Amino acid sequence: MTATTETRIGQPYLAALRKKLPHAVLEERWQTDDQVTVTVKLGSLPEAVATLYYEHDGWLSTMVGNDERSLNGCFALYYVLSMEGAQKCHVIVHALVSADDLEFPSVTPKVPAAVWYEREVRDMFGLRPVGLPDERRLVLPDDWPDGLYPLRKDSMDYRFRPEPTADNETYKFVNDSKVETTVVPLGPLHITSDEPGHFRLFVDGETIVDADYRMFYVHRGMEKLAETRMGYNEVTFLADRVCGICGYAHSVAYASSVENALGIRVPDRAQAIRAILLETERMHSHLLNLGLVCHFTGFDTGFMQFFRVREKAMTLAEMLTGSRKTYAINLIGGVRRDILGEQRLTTLKLIGELRAEVKRLIDILVSTPNFEGRVKGVGLLDPQVARDYSPVGPVVRGSGHRRDTRADHAFAGYKLIDMPVHTQAGCDILSRTLVRIAEFFDSIAIIEKLLEDTPTGPILTEDFAYKPYKFALGYTEAPRGEDMHWSMTGDNQKLYRWRCRASTYNNWPVLRYMLRGNTVSDAPLIVGSIDPCYSCTDRVTIVDVNKARSKTIAYKEMERYCRERTDSPLK
Amino acid sequence: MPDLSHLLLAVLQALLLLAAAPLVSGMSRVVRAKMHTRHGPGLLQDYRDLFKLMQRQDVRPPSAGPVFRTMPIIMMACMLVIATGTPILTRFSPISACGDLITTIYLFALARFFFALSGIDSGSSFAGIGASRELTMGVLVEPVMMLALFMAALLAGSTDLGAIGAAVASGRVHSLTAVIVAGLAFAFAVYIELGKLPYDMAEAEQELQEGPLTEYSGPSLALLKWSLSLKQVVVIAWFVGVFLPFGSSLDLSVGGVLLGLVAFAVKLVLIFLAVGIVENSVSRTRFRLTPQHSWLGVGIASLSFVFYLVGL
C-alpha cells in the first residue's frame, strides 16, 4: 500500500461523518491516498450516504453488491461516492447485509441516484431494499424464474440456462401523467438506434407527457464470466469488449482498479500512452455523436461528412494499436505497445489534419439552416434533476455542472497535464453538442502535449504479486462520462468480484425528465444526445438472448392504444 | 369534347411520366450520394428496387382494413389522372376537363386524404402520427397553392391550366410582377408538396419510421413508392405547365411535341438538381414550426394579390 496517514485526502469528510452520526461508523480502510472505505451500521446507511451526497458535494458513482458469505457470512453493499468538494477523493460507504433476512434500508428515498443500483442488486443478489419506491425488475427478463440470483456465488452454474417461466412481456411501464395519453412504442428495435431498448412514450397529440423505458435486452453476463472463467489479465481484454466505441476506457478502468487494489506503481510512460489512446478514442466517439446529431435532425449530408473525417481517427487508432478500435493494449501494470518516434510524427500529422477538417465541418454545421432550431431548448435537463441523479459526461456538463473525472480525480497520464473542463448552461441538446465539440479540440491538444514531452522509461511493470481479497476502485472519463470499476481479487487467480459500471448507466435515469414536454419527433434526437451505449449498460447477467427476445413484443396492446388517440397534434 | 389525338396525347404523357418517375427519383439519390461523398447507387436503382419489391410477399397488419389495401391503387390512379390533364408537352391541356386547376387541387387532396386514412387504418402509432401530420401539412399548404393559382387564374381570366400557361408564356397578363410573385409562392408550396427535406414531415424516417409507409410491404409498397415518385414529377410538371411553359408545343404536330418533350425533360432535370442541393444541405424543420414557414407562403401569395390590384 502506498497510502500513508499524512498524504491521505478526504479525512475531513470522515470527521464530519463521525460527528453527524457518532455511533454509525465502525471502521475505515484506505485503499489508496484518495480512496477510503467506511463501514457503517446497516441502519445508518441511507443517512450516511445522504450526508456525504448532499452536504459534502458527493455524487453517486456506483454501487457494488457482493456475496461475501464465504468471507464473513454476509452480503456486502458498497456505495461509491465521488467527492467533488474542496478535497477531491472517493469515499465508499460500506455496510454488511445479513444473509438471513437479506433486507437493507433503501437509500433511494434520500438519494434518488441510487434507484437503478438498488433495483439491480435486488435482481442479482436477492437483497431487498426496504422502502425502494420502484420495485420492478431492472436487469432480469420477465421470464426469469423467481429466486434465482445470478451473481450469488452459489447460483446456477454459468453453463446452464434456467427454463423460461412466462410467455409474455409483463413489465409495467410507469406513466405519471395526469391527462389521458396515447402510447408510442419506440423499440425494442427502432430505426434510429441499432441496439435494442424499449421506450414507451406517453403522448398527448405529439407532446410527450411522460416516458418510461427498459434496457438490458442483450445482457452478456460479463461480470459473471470474469469471475468464473477468466484470469486477471484476460479480463483487461474482456473489458475492451464492454463497448464497441469506448471499450478502451473500460480496459483502463479495470486495470487501474486492480493496480490500485494491489498498490502497483504503473510506469509514467505507460500512463501517458494510456491517456493518448483514451483521447484517440474520445475523438472518434465524439465525431460519431456529432454525425448522429446531424442524422437525427435529417441532415444526412453532415452525418456522412463527419464519418468521412472520423476515418482519420480510426486510422490513428489502427496505427497506434494495430486495430481500428483501440483494443488489446492494456495489461495489469502497464501497456503492451510503445509509441515509437515515427508513429509519433504520423500522429502529430494526422491530428493536425483532423483539427483543420473538423473545424471546417463544425462551421458548416453551425451555419446550417434550422440546425440550431432543432437542438436549442430541446431535451432540457434541469440542473437540480442532474444533481439528484448523478449523470456523467457531456450530459451533466451540458447542464452547468463541472464534473470531469480527468480533472477531479486525475488518473493515468492526466496527472501530467492541466485539464480544462468545459461546461454549458443551456441544459439542452445544443449545450451537450457544444461540450462535445470543445472536448474534441481538447483531445487534440492533450495528445499534442503528451507527445511533446512523453516521460521516458519502461511501459510495463511485472514487479508485483496478486494478494487475495484486496479491492479498490478504478475509473476513467470515457467519451460518454465516467466509467467506474470495482474489483476484488480472489484466491484462485481469478477475480472474486468485478463490478463494471459504464457511463451511460448513470445517464439513463434522467432521460425520462429530458423527454417530458418535447414532441415525439424530438425523442430520437434526445435519446441520441446522451450518446447512449446500450451494450455498455447491458452487461451484467446471463440471459438466453433468443428465448427472452422472441416473445416480448406486445403489438396487439400497442395497436389498441393507438386507436384510442383523440387529439390532433396542432392546437 | 377532346378528339382521339388529344386522348392519345393524354395517355402518352401519363405513361411517360409513370415510366420516368423512378428515373427521376434515382437521379435524386445520385445527387444525394454525391453530396454525401458516397459512391451511392446507380441511376436505375429505383427500377431495381421496384422490381424486387414486386416479387416480395405482401404482408399486412391484422387490423388493417380495405382502405389500407386500396390506398396505393387510389394514389396511383389520382396521380395518373392529374398527369393526363396537365399541360406538359403542349401549351394546352390535352383533356381540359382534367386540366382545371380546381380539379387538380382536389385530386391531390383526394390522394392525400387516402394516404392519411391508410396510416390511421394500419393501426401503427407511427403511421397514425404520420397521417395526422400529412393532413396538417395539407391544411397548411393548400391555401398557399390555391391563393397563388387563383391569382394566376385571375390574371389570365381562366381556371384552365393550359390557358393560364399560355397567358403567362405570351405575357398577355394584367400584371407581370404579380405573376412572378404568385409563381414564387406556388414554387414554395410545390416544394413542400414534394415531401422533401426539410418538410418530409409525414414520412420522416428518423422521427416516425417513414410514417404511413411503415406498415406497407412487397407489391403495395412498390406501388406506393412509385406513386410517390410519380407525385413528385407530376407536381413539378404542374408548376412548369403553369408558370414555366416555355418550349412546349403550341399544336399537336409530332415535331412540336418532341421538342416540347426535350424542353420539359431539361426543365425537370434542372429543377430536381436544385431541389437535391437544397434538401441535402438542411436539417428537418421541427414540425411545430412548419406553420410559421407556410405563413411565409401565404404572405407571398397575398403580396401577389396586392400587385394585381395595383396593376404593376
Side-chain angles (χ1 to χ4, degrees), chain A residues 502-536:
Chain A
S503 33
T504 310
Y505 189 98
N506 272 26
N507 288 337
W508 281 124
V510 292
L511 184 63
R512 185 179 184 198
Y513 301 93
M514 288 154 67
L515 285 168
R516 284 180 185 170
N518 293 284
T519 59
V520 178
S521 53
D522 291 328
L525 182 60
I526 296 169
V527 176
S529 80
I530 72 169
D531 207 355
C533 200
Y534 298 63
S535 65
C536 307

Coordinates of all heavy atoms in Angstrom, one line a residue, chain A residues 502-536:
Chain A
A502 N -20.8 1.3 -16.6 CA -20.5 2.1 -17.8 C -21.2 3.5 -17.6 O -22.1 3.6 -16.9 CB -21.0 1.5 -19.0
S503 N -20.6 4.5 -18.3 CA -21.1 5.8 -18.1 C -22.6 6.0 -18.4 O -23.3 6.7 -17.7 CB -20.3 6.8 -19.0 OG -19.9 6.1 -20.2
T504 N -23.1 5.3 -19.5 CA -24.5 5.5 -19.9 C -25.5 5.0 -18.8 O -26.6 5.5 -18.7 CB -24.8 4.8 -21.2 OG1 -23.7 5.2 -22.1 CG2 -26.1 5.2 -21.8
Y505 N -25.0 4.1 -18.0 CA -25.9 3.6 -16.9 C -26.3 4.7 -16.0 O -27.5 4.7 -15.6 CB -25.0 2.6 -16.1 CG -25.8 1.8 -15.0 CD1 -26.2 0.5 -15.3 CD2 -26.0 2.3 -13.8 CE1 -26.9 -0.3 -14.4 CE2 -26.7 1.6 -12.8 CZ -27.1 0.3 -13.1 OH -27.8 -0.5 -12.2
N506 N -25.5 5.7 -15.7 CA -25.8 6.8 -14.9 C -26.7 7.8 -15.6 O -27.3 8.6 -15.0 CB -24.6 7.5 -14.4 CG -24.1 6.9 -13.1 OD1 -24.4 5.7 -12.8 ND2 -23.5 7.7 -12.3
N507 N -26.7 7.8 -17.0 CA -27.4 8.8 -17.7 C -28.8 8.3 -18.1 O -29.7 9.2 -18.3 CB -26.7 9.1 -19.0 CG -25.4 9.9 -18.7 OD1 -25.3 10.6 -17.7 ND2 -24.5 9.9 -19.6
W508 N -29.1 7.0 -18.0 CA -30.5 6.6 -18.4 C -31.5 7.2 -17.5 O -32.6 7.6 -17.9 CB -30.6 5.1 -18.4 CG -30.0 4.4 -19.6 CD1 -29.1 3.4 -19.6 CD2 -30.4 4.6 -21.0 NE1 -28.8 3.0 -20.9 CE2 -29.6 3.7 -21.8 CE3 -31.3 5.4 -21.6 CZ2 -29.7 3.6 -23.1 CZ3 -31.4 5.4 -23.0 CH2 -30.6 4.5 -23.7
P509 N -31.3 7.1 -16.1 CA -32.5 7.5 -15.3 C -32.9 9.0 -15.5 O -34.1 9.3 -15.3 CB -31.9 7.4 -13.9 CG -30.9 6.3 -14.0 CD -30.3 6.5 -15.3
V510 N -32.1 9.9 -15.9 CA -32.5 11.3 -16.1 C -33.2 11.5 -17.5 O -33.9 12.5 -17.7 CB -31.3 12.3 -16.1 CG1 -30.8 12.4 -14.7 CG2 -30.3 11.9 -17.1
L511 N -33.1 10.5 -18.4 CA -33.7 10.7 -19.7 C -35.2 10.9 -19.7 O -35.7 11.7 -20.4 CB -33.4 9.4 -20.5 CG -33.8 9.4 -22.0 CD1 -33.1 10.5 -22.7 CD2 -33.6 8.1 -22.6
R512 N -35.9 10.3 -18.7 CA -37.3 10.5 -18.6 C -37.6 12.0 -18.4 O -38.6 12.5 -19.0 CB -37.7 9.7 -17.3 CG -39.2 9.7 -17.1 CD -39.5 8.9 -15.8 NE -40.9 8.8 -15.6 CZ -41.4 8.5 -14.5 NH1 -40.7 8.2 -13.4 NH2 -42.7 8.4 -14.4
Y513 N -36.8 12.7 -17.6 CA -37.1 14.1 -17.4 C -36.8 14.9 -18.6 O -37.4 16.0 -18.9 CB -36.3 14.6 -16.2 CG -36.7 13.8 -14.9 CD1 -35.9 12.7 -14.6 CD2 -37.8 14.2 -14.2 CE1 -36.3 12.0 -13.4 CE2 -38.1 13.5 -13.0 CZ -37.4 12.3 -12.7 OH -37.8 11.6 -11.6
M514 N -35.8 14.4 -19.4 CA -35.4 15.2 -20.6 C -36.5 15.0 -21.7 O -36.6 15.9 -22.5 CB -34.1 14.7 -21.1 CG -32.9 15.1 -20.2 SD -31.5 14.0 -20.3 CE -31.0 14.2 -22.0
L515 N -37.2 13.9 -21.7 CA -38.2 13.7 -22.7 C -39.5 14.5 -22.5 O -40.1 14.9 -23.4 CB -38.5 12.2 -22.8 CG -37.4 11.3 -23.5 CD1 -37.7 9.9 -23.3 CD2 -37.3 11.6 -25.0
R516 N -39.8 14.7 -21.2 CA -41.1 15.3 -20.9 C -41.2 16.7 -21.6 O -40.3 17.5 -21.5 CB -41.2 15.4 -19.4 CG -41.6 14.2 -18.7 CD -41.7 14.4 -17.2 NE -41.9 13.1 -16.5 CZ -41.9 13.0 -15.2 NH1 -41.7 14.1 -14.4 NH2 -42.1 11.8 -14.6
G517 N -42.4 16.9 -22.1 CA -42.7 18.2 -22.7 C -42.2 18.4 -24.1 O -42.5 19.4 -24.7
N518 N -41.4 17.5 -24.6 CA -41.0 17.6 -26.0 C -41.9 16.8 -26.9 O -42.9 16.2 -26.5 CB -39.6 17.1 -26.2 CG -38.6 17.9 -25.4 OD1 -38.2 19.0 -25.9 ND2 -38.2 17.5 -24.2
T519 N -41.7 16.9 -28.3 CA -42.5 16.2 -29.2 C -42.0 14.8 -29.5 O -40.8 14.6 -29.4 CB -42.7 17.0 -30.5 OG1 -41.5 17.2 -31.1 CG2 -43.4 18.3 -30.2
V520 N -42.8 14.0 -30.0 CA -42.4 12.6 -30.4 C -41.3 12.7 -31.4 O -40.3 11.9 -31.4 CB -43.6 11.9 -31.1 CG1 -43.1 10.5 -31.5 CG2 -44.7 11.8 -30.1
S521 N -41.3 13.7 -32.3 CA -40.3 13.8 -33.3 C -39.0 14.1 -32.8 O -37.9 13.8 -33.4 CB -40.7 14.8 -34.4 OG -41.0 16.1 -33.7
D522 N -38.9 14.7 -31.6 CA -37.6 15.0 -31.0 C -37.1 13.9 -30.2 O -35.9 13.9 -29.7 CB -37.7 16.3 -30.1 CG -37.9 17.5 -31.0 OD1 -37.4 17.5 -32.1 OD2 -38.6 18.4 -30.5
A523 N -37.9 12.8 -29.9 CA -37.5 11.8 -29.0 C -36.2 11.1 -29.4 O -35.3 11.0 -28.6 CB -38.6 10.8 -28.8
P524 N -36.1 10.7 -30.7 CA -34.8 10.0 -31.0 C -33.6 10.9 -30.9 O -32.5 10.5 -30.5 CB -35.0 9.6 -32.5 CG -36.5 9.6 -32.7 CD -37.0 10.6 -31.8
L525 N -33.8 12.2 -31.2 CA -32.8 13.2 -31.0 C -32.3 13.3 -29.6 O -31.1 13.4 -29.3 CB -33.3 14.5 -31.6 CG -32.3 15.7 -31.6 CD1 -31.1 15.4 -32.5 CD2 -33.1 16.9 -32.1
I526 N -33.3 13.3 -28.7 CA -33.0 13.5 -27.3 C -32.3 12.2 -26.8 O -31.3 12.3 -26.0 CB -34.3 13.8 -26.4 CG1 -34.9 15.1 -26.9 CG2 -34.0 13.8 -25.0 CD1 -36.3 15.3 -26.3
V527 N -32.8 11.1 -27.1 CA -32.1 9.8 -26.7 C -30.7 9.9 -27.3 O -29.7 9.5 -26.6 CB -32.9 8.6 -27.2 CG1 -32.1 7.3 -26.9 CG2 -34.3 8.6 -26.6
G528 N -30.5 10.3 -28.5 CA -29.2 10.4 -29.1 C -28.3 11.4 -28.4 O -27.1 11.2 -28.4
S529 N -28.8 12.4 -27.8 CA -28.0 13.4 -27.2 C -27.3 12.9 -25.9 O -26.4 13.5 -25.5 CB -28.8 14.7 -26.9 OG -29.5 14.5 -25.7
I530 N -27.8 11.8 -25.3 CA -27.0 11.3 -24.2 C -25.9 10.3 -24.8 O -25.2 9.7 -24.0 CB -27.8 10.6 -23.1 CG1 -28.4 9.3 -23.6 CG2 -28.9 11.5 -22.6 CD1 -29.0 8.5 -22.4
D531 N -25.9 10.2 -26.1 CA -24.9 9.3 -26.8 C -25.0 7.9 -26.2 O -24.1 7.4 -25.6 CB -23.5 9.9 -26.6 CG -22.6 9.4 -27.7 OD1 -23.1 8.7 -28.6 OD2 -21.4 9.9 -27.8
P532 N -26.2 7.4 -26.2 CA -26.4 6.1 -25.4 C -25.6 5.0 -25.9 O -25.3 4.9 -27.1 CB -27.9 5.9 -25.6 CG -28.2 6.4 -26.9 CD -27.3 7.6 -27.1
C533 N -25.3 4.1 -25.1 CA -24.5 3.0 -25.4 C -25.2 1.8 -24.7 O -25.1 1.6 -23.5 CB -23.1 3.2 -24.8 SG -21.9 2.1 -25.6
Y534 N -26.1 1.1 -25.5 CA -26.9 0.1 -24.8 C -26.1 -1.0 -24.3 O -26.3 -1.5 -23.3 CB -28.0 -0.4 -25.8 CG -28.9 0.6 -26.4 CD1 -28.5 1.7 -27.1 CD2 -30.3 0.5 -26.1 CE1 -29.4 2.6 -27.6 CE2 -31.2 1.4 -26.6 CZ -30.7 2.5 -27.3 OH -31.6 3.4 -27.8
S535 N -25.2 -1.4 -25.2 CA -24.4 -2.6 -24.8 C -23.6 -2.4 -23.6 O -23.3 -3.4 -22.8 CB -23.6 -3.1 -26.0 OG -22.6 -2.1 -26.2
C536 N -23.1 -1.2 -23.3 CA -22.3 -0.9 -22.1 C -23.2 -1.2 -20.9 O -22.7 -1.7 -19.9 CB -21.9 0.5 -22.1 SG -21.1 1.1 -23.5

